[in-house]
Amino acid sequence: MPQKLKQTQYVSLENNLRELKNRANLTQEQAIAQLQLRNFSISRSAYSQIEAGTYNIHISALNCIG
């Protein structure tokens, strides 16, 4: 029987995502374009919400961002 992992704390992505974008000297539009080149379709609104911490991103998208 597979074990279930108990989630004890939430991971905050918004600061890390913003930091990665800033380190790469990208605007939100440029970051979105990079994600779209990696076959991850996202709207500017959704991206902004991720950076604001009000939208949850799918874990499969993390490979596209990193």
Side-chain angles (χ1 to χ4, degrees):
M1 174 180 274
Q3 283 186 310
K4 291 185 179 180
L5 297 176
K6 184 177 179 182
Q7 188 172 4
T8 57
Q9 70 185 67
Y10 293 95
V11 176
S12 175
L13 295 176
E14 61 268 12
N15 293 332
N16 293 328
L17 182 60
R18 191 177 303 112
E19 179 66 25
L20 287 171
K21 180 190 71 169
N22 291 339
R23 282 186 187 181
N25 292 316
L26 298 174
T27 65
Q28 281 189 350
E29 292 85 5
Q30 291 168 329
I32 293 164
Q34 290 295 314
L35 290 171
Q36 290 172 343
L37 287 173
R38 292 176 173 90
N39 295 320
F40 182 73
S41 180
I42 188 168
S43 69
R44 170 127 191 242
S45 174
Y47 185 90
S48 295
Q49 290 175 23
I50 292 168
E51 279 196 357
T54 59
Y55 182 85
N56 293 325
I57 189 169
H58 294 278
I59 198 159
S60 62
L62 294 177
N63 284 334
C64 295
I65 294 171

